[in-house]
Amino acid sequence: MTHGAGPIDVYVDGLAAALRGPRRHRQEMITEARDSLFDAAEAYADEGHEPLDAQRLAVADFGTHPQVVPGYQTELAALQGRRTATWIALVLPVMTLLEPLMWWDTKWSTDERASHVYWVLVDHFQYTSFLAAAAAGLAIVGFGWGSRFLRDGMRYARLVGQATVVFLGMHALLGLTVFALSLHQWPAAATWPPVLVGMAVNTAAFGYAGCLAIRCVSATSTSAARA
């Protein structure tokens, strides 16, 4: 059967437009759905149905978009949520452990001009980083082994995405405060190469984490789940 612009192509295009999530996995789902539909249409054609009628029957058997999209979207949302949690769990503690290198071979980290508030904020930044990484590790378990106990995988993925957005916003604000205090107490830090490189790396890593979290929330939005 020739794969022309028939009912199957129209249906699959609508399915592709309705789904949100990791691009590669989404494309794999769409390709698998298309292949299944054409296989079903081939079977109907072998029974004597006209090509277009065979495609329509295959589409009818597959289900309407409101029927099939929620299942696909839940899987995509879980994949996006797991990807977001994995980034936080693996990258955040590594960055936190490497951050002292920004002040390596300087007197700034032990300078007596550093206020008590400054060190409290630094400690808080580090502690919350590791706590967030641990929470993200638990979230990963929830997407894997723990998924059998979850009644609503979509809501769980949404919670992970929203919590990550909130955490990143608050953590970024805390990090900027620490950096601003550093510049205030040690003006020379503004031109110290390790500090500049460290800030660039931190900004890139946090920015990517933010993109992942926003995509996770988008993949669990009401419009995506009910398309």
Side-chain angles (χ1 to χ4, degrees), residues 3-223:
H3 295 185
I8 289 179
D9 291 304
V10 173
Y11 178 89
V12 173
D13 288 345
L15 182 63
L19 296 177
R20 300 175 186 174
R23 182 177 303 175
R24 181 173 63 86
H25 295 287
R26 186 176 71 243
Q27 188 57 48
E28 289 176 354
M29 286 181 174
I30 295 168
T31 299
E32 183 179 352
R34 184 188 299 274
D35 291 342
S36 297
L37 284 165
F38 275 115
D39 287 343
E42 291 282 1
Y44 277 118
D46 291 341
E47 294 176 0
H49 293 277
E50 293 296 325
L52 288 180
D53 289 336
Q55 290 195 25
R56 293 189 185 98
L57 289 169
V59 168
D61 289 343
F62 200 79
T64 64
H65 287 157
Q67 291 174 327
V68 302
V69 165
Y72 280 118
Q73 192 58 54
T74 297
E75 183 175 348
L76 286 171
L79 289 169
Q80 187 65 58
R82 184 185 294 113
R83 179 177 294 183
T84 301
T86 299
W87 180 264
I88 298 296
L90 296 181
V91 175
L92 193 59
V94 172
M95 291 181 58
T96 301
L97 291 173
L98 292 179
E99 278 172 358
L101 294 178
M102 295 170 60
W103 313 101
W104 180 67
D105 198 27
T106 71
K107 64 178 180 179
W108 302 329
S109 59
T110 58
D111 198 300
E112 293 180 357
R113 286 174 293 179
S115 65
H116 174 70
V117 173
Y118 173 80
W119 290 117
V120 170
L121 292 177
V122 169
D123 290 341
H124 186 69
F125 186 85
Q126 294 176 341
Y127 295 151
T128 54
S129 295
F130 289 117
L131 286 174
L138 292 176
I140 296 172
V141 174
F143 284 116
W145 176 81
S147 62
R148 70 188 68 181
F149 303 107
L150 296 175
R151 294 183 179 181
D152 191 340
M154 182 71 76
R155 180 176 298 179
Y156 178 72
R158 184 184 304 117
L159 178 61
V160 170
Q162 292 173 338
T164 303
V165 170
V166 172
F167 163 75
L168 289 174
M170 296 178 64
H171 205 57
L173 182 60
L174 177 59
L176 289 174
T177 301
V178 171
F179 184 63
L181 284 174
S182 299
L183 295 182
H184 176 70
Q185 296 172 130
W186 309 296
T191 58
W192 183 245
V195 171
L196 299 179
V197 172
M199 286 302 298
V201 173
N202 272 278
T203 300
F206 270 84
Y208 183 67
C211 289
L212 290 175
I214 291 172
R215 290 173 184 171
C216 183
V217 174
S218 176
T220 61
S221 66
T222 302
S223 59

